[in-house]
mmCIF file of all heavy atoms in Angstrom:
data_model
loop_
_atom_site.group_PDB
_atom_site.id
_atom_site.type_symbol
_atom_site.label_atom_id
_atom_site.label_comp_id
_atom_site.label_asym_id
_atom_site.label_seq_id
_atom_site.Cartn_x
_atom_site.Cartn_y
_atom_site.Cartn_z
ATOM 1 N N TRP T 109 103.448 -4.717 68.808
ATOM 2 C CA TRP T 109 103.754 -5.031 67.398
ATOM 3 C C TRP T 109 103.771 -6.546 67.196
ATOM 4 O O TRP T 109 103.170 -7.059 66.255
ATOM 5 C CB TRP T 109 105.094 -4.409 66.979
ATOM 6 C CG TRP T 109 105.288 -4.491 65.499
ATOM 7 C CD1 TRP T 109 104.928 -3.568 64.563
ATOM 8 C CD2 TRP T 109 105.842 -5.603 64.774
ATOM 9 N NE1 TRP T 109 105.215 -4.018 63.297
ATOM 10 C CE2 TRP T 109 105.777 -5.267 63.401
ATOM 11 C CE3 TRP T 109 106.377 -6.831 65.138
ATOM 12 C CZ2 TRP T 109 106.240 -6.123 62.400
ATOM 13 C CZ3 TRP T 109 106.824 -7.689 64.154
ATOM 14 C CH2 TRP T 109 106.756 -7.336 62.800
ATOM 15 N N VAL T 113 99.410 -5.740 66.275
ATOM 16 C CA VAL T 113 98.877 -4.378 66.089
ATOM 17 C C VAL T 113 99.765 -3.668 65.065
ATOM 18 O O VAL T 113 100.980 -3.649 65.201
ATOM 19 C CB VAL T 113 98.888 -3.595 67.428
ATOM 20 C CG1 VAL T 113 98.430 -2.152 67.209
ATOM 21 C CG2 VAL T 113 98.020 -4.293 68.462
ATOM 22 N N ARG T 114 99.144 -3.090 64.039
ATOM 23 C CA ARG T 114 99.934 -2.410 63.014
ATOM 24 C C ARG T 114 99.529 -0.945 62.831
ATOM 25 O O ARG T 114 100.233 -0.181 62.181
ATOM 26 C CB ARG T 114 99.788 -3.128 61.658
ATOM 27 C CG ARG T 114 100.396 -4.510 61.638
ATOM 28 C CD ARG T 114 101.930 -4.443 61.680
ATOM 29 N NE ARG T 114 102.512 -5.769 61.642
ATOM 30 C CZ ARG T 114 102.706 -6.545 62.712
ATOM 31 N NH1 ARG T 114 102.402 -6.091 63.928
ATOM 32 N NH2 ARG T 114 103.220 -7.747 62.590
ATOM 33 N N ALA T 147 107.528 5.105 68.529
ATOM 34 C CA ALA T 147 106.613 4.309 67.689
ATOM 35 C C ALA T 147 106.952 4.499 66.211
ATOM 36 O O ALA T 147 106.951 3.544 65.426
ATOM 37 C CB ALA T 147 105.170 4.725 67.963
ATOM 38 N N VAL T 148 107.265 5.719 65.851
ATOM 39 C CA VAL T 148 107.581 6.021 64.452
ATOM 40 C C VAL T 148 108.866 5.311 64.021
ATOM 41 O O VAL T 148 109.001 4.847 62.889
ATOM 42 C CB VAL T 148 107.705 7.561 64.291
ATOM 43 C CG1 VAL T 148 108.409 7.932 63.015
ATOM 44 C CG2 VAL T 148 106.332 8.201 64.383
ATOM 45 N N GLN T 149 109.821 5.210 64.967
ATOM 46 C CA GLN T 149 111.125 4.614 64.620
ATOM 47 C C GLN T 149 111.183 3.121 64.914
ATOM 48 O O GLN T 149 112.186 2.480 64.630
ATOM 49 C CB GLN T 149 112.223 5.319 65.425
ATOM 50 C CG GLN T 149 112.398 6.767 65.016
ATOM 51 C CD GLN T 149 113.408 7.468 65.893
ATOM 52 O OE1 GLN T 149 113.174 7.678 67.078
ATOM 53 N NE2 GLN T 149 114.543 7.813 65.334
ATOM 54 N N PHE T 150 110.102 2.584 65.485
ATOM 55 C CA PHE T 150 110.142 1.196 65.956
ATOM 56 C C PHE T 150 110.492 0.215 64.822
ATOM 57 O O PHE T 150 109.965 0.294 63.714
ATOM 58 C CB PHE T 150 108.784 0.786 66.556
ATOM 59 C CG PHE T 150 108.751 -0.664 66.926
ATOM 60 C CD1 PHE T 150 109.306 -1.099 68.121
ATOM 61 C CD2 PHE T 150 108.227 -1.610 66.049
ATOM 62 C CE1 PHE T 150 109.326 -2.450 68.442
ATOM 63 C CE2 PHE T 150 108.241 -2.963 66.367
ATOM 64 C CZ PHE T 150 108.793 -3.383 67.570
ATOM 65 N N ARG T 151 111.382 -0.723 65.122
ATOM 66 C CA ARG T 151 111.711 -1.842 64.222
ATOM 67 C C ARG T 151 111.719 -3.107 65.063
ATOM 68 O O ARG T 151 112.367 -3.141 66.124
ATOM 69 C CB ARG T 151 113.105 -1.678 63.618
ATOM 70 C CG ARG T 151 113.194 -0.635 62.552
ATOM 71 C CD ARG T 151 112.595 -1.158 61.283
ATOM 72 N NE ARG T 151 112.355 -0.084 60.334
ATOM 73 C CZ ARG T 151 111.795 -0.257 59.156
ATOM 74 N NH1 ARG T 151 111.388 -1.453 58.784
ATOM 75 N NH2 ARG T 151 111.601 0.739 58.338
ATOM 76 N N SER T 152 111.044 -4.132 64.587
ATOM 77 C CA SER T 152 111.114 -5.400 65.307
ATOM 78 C C SER T 152 112.478 -6.031 65.026
ATOM 79 O O SER T 152 113.227 -5.548 64.170
ATOM 80 C CB SER T 152 110.008 -6.336 64.828
ATOM 81 O OG SER T 152 110.349 -6.842 63.566
ATOM 82 N N ARG T 154 113.062 -8.474 63.397
ATOM 83 C CA ARG T 154 113.131 -8.891 61.980
ATOM 84 C C ARG T 154 112.920 -7.706 61.027
ATOM 85 O O ARG T 154 112.708 -7.879 59.844
ATOM 86 C CB ARG T 154 112.078 -9.956 61.703
ATOM 87 C CG ARG T 154 112.495 -11.284 62.287
ATOM 88 C CD ARG T 154 111.716 -12.433 61.669
ATOM 89 N NE ARG T 154 111.319 -13.358 62.705
ATOM 90 C CZ ARG T 154 110.054 -13.683 62.990
ATOM 91 N NH1 ARG T 154 109.070 -13.175 62.303
ATOM 92 N NH2 ARG T 154 109.786 -14.530 63.945
ATOM 93 N N GLY T 155 112.891 -6.504 61.574
ATOM 94 C CA GLY T 155 112.845 -5.319 60.709
ATOM 95 C C GLY T 155 111.461 -4.756 60.448
ATOM 96 O O GLY T 155 111.314 -3.804 59.695
ATOM 97 N N GLY T 156 110.423 -5.346 61.053
ATOM 98 C CA GLY T 156 109.068 -4.855 60.794
ATOM 99 C C GLY T 156 108.783 -3.531 61.496
ATOM 100 O O GLY T 156 109.326 -3.267 62.571
ATOM 101 N N ALA T 157 107.940 -2.708 60.879
ATOM 102 C CA ALA T 157 107.556 -1.417 61.455
ATOM 103 C C ALA T 157 106.033 -1.353 61.558
ATOM 104 O O ALA T 157 105.331 -2.220 61.034
ATOM 105 C CB ALA T 157 108.058 -0.285 60.563
ATOM 106 N N PHE T 158 105.510 -0.330 62.219
ATOM 107 C CA PHE T 158 104.060 -0.105 62.190
ATOM 108 C C PHE T 158 103.685 0.403 60.793
ATOM 109 O O PHE T 158 104.498 1.014 60.100
ATOM 110 C CB PHE T 158 103.650 0.915 63.264
ATOM 111 C CG PHE T 158 103.717 0.338 64.653
ATOM 112 C CD1 PHE T 158 104.829 0.532 65.463
ATOM 113 C CD2 PHE T 158 102.675 -0.433 65.137
ATOM 114 C CE1 PHE T 158 104.900 -0.032 66.729
ATOM 115 C CE2 PHE T 158 102.729 -1.007 66.406
ATOM 116 C CZ PHE T 158 103.849 -0.806 67.194
ATOM 117 N N ASP T 159 102.445 0.141 60.380
ATOM 118 C CA ASP T 159 101.997 0.603 59.062
ATOM 119 C C ASP T 159 101.569 2.074 59.108
ATOM 120 O O ASP T 159 101.854 2.843 58.203
ATOM 121 C CB ASP T 159 100.787 -0.228 58.584
ATOM 122 C CG ASP T 159 101.182 -1.670 58.300
ATOM 123 O OD1 ASP T 159 102.391 -1.921 58.126
ATOM 124 O OD2 ASP T 159 100.281 -2.538 58.276
ATOM 125 N N TRP T 160 100.802 2.401 60.153
ATOM 126 C CA TRP T 160 100.257 3.756 60.263
ATOM 127 C C TRP T 160 100.421 4.264 61.680
ATOM 128 O O TRP T 160 100.124 3.549 62.641
ATOM 129 C CB TRP T 160 98.750 3.767 59.970
ATOM 130 C CG TRP T 160 98.398 3.851 58.530
ATOM 131 C CD1 TRP T 160 98.108 2.806 57.706
ATOM 132 C CD2 TRP T 160 98.281 5.048 57.755
ATOM 133 N NE1 TRP T 160 97.819 3.290 56.451
ATOM 134 C CE2 TRP T 160 97.912 4.655 56.451
ATOM 135 C CE3 TRP T 160 98.452 6.409 58.033
ATOM 136 C CZ2 TRP T 160 97.710 5.574 55.430
ATOM 137 C CZ3 TRP T 160 98.260 7.324 57.009
ATOM 138 C CH2 TRP T 160 97.903 6.904 55.727
ATOM 139 N N ILE T 161 100.844 5.510 61.817
ATOM 140 C CA ILE T 161 100.780 6.214 63.102
ATOM 141 C C ILE T 161 99.949 7.465 62.831
ATOM 142 O O ILE T 161 100.293 8.284 61.972
ATOM 143 C CB ILE T 161 102.173 6.656 63.607
ATOM 144 C CG1 ILE T 161 103.179 5.503 63.640
ATOM 145 C CG2 ILE T 161 102.040 7.367 64.957
ATOM 146 C CD1 ILE T 161 103.127 4.592 64.798
ATOM 147 N N SER T 191 112.069 5.748 58.587
ATOM 148 C CA SER T 191 112.748 5.422 57.334
ATOM 149 C C SER T 191 111.710 5.382 56.208
ATOM 150 O O SER T 191 110.509 5.404 56.459
ATOM 151 C CB SER T 191 113.460 4.082 57.462
ATOM 152 O OG SER T 191 112.563 3.155 58.000
ATOM 153 N N ASP T 193 110.574 3.106 54.369
ATOM 154 C CA ASP T 193 109.558 2.053 54.466
ATOM 155 C C ASP T 193 108.945 1.992 55.866
ATOM 156 O O ASP T 193 108.328 1.009 56.253
ATOM 157 C CB ASP T 193 110.156 0.686 54.077
ATOM 158 C CG ASP T 193 111.291 0.289 55.018
ATOM 159 O OD1 ASP T 193 111.806 1.174 55.744
ATOM 160 O OD2 ASP T 193 111.654 -0.890 55.051
ATOM 161 N N GLY T 194 109.101 3.052 56.634
ATOM 162 C CA GLY T 194 108.508 3.137 57.973
ATOM 163 C C GLY T 194 107.036 3.501 57.891
ATOM 164 O O GLY T 194 106.451 3.528 56.801
ATOM 165 N N PRO T 195 106.406 3.763 59.032
ATOM 166 C CA PRO T 195 104.960 4.016 59.038
ATOM 167 C C PRO T 195 104.569 5.275 58.278
ATOM 168 O O PRO T 195 105.324 6.240 58.211
ATOM 169 C CB PRO T 195 104.651 4.179 60.533
ATOM 170 C CG PRO T 195 105.934 4.439 61.192
ATOM 171 C CD PRO T 195 107.016 3.843 60.364
#
Side-chain angles (χ1 to χ4, degrees):
W109 191 91
V113 176
R114 293 289 181 275
V148 163
Q149 293 176 292
F150 174 81
R151 286 284 166 182
S152 75
R154 285 198 223 120
F158 287 96
D159 293 341
W160 275 96
I161 307 279
S191 49
D193 62 344

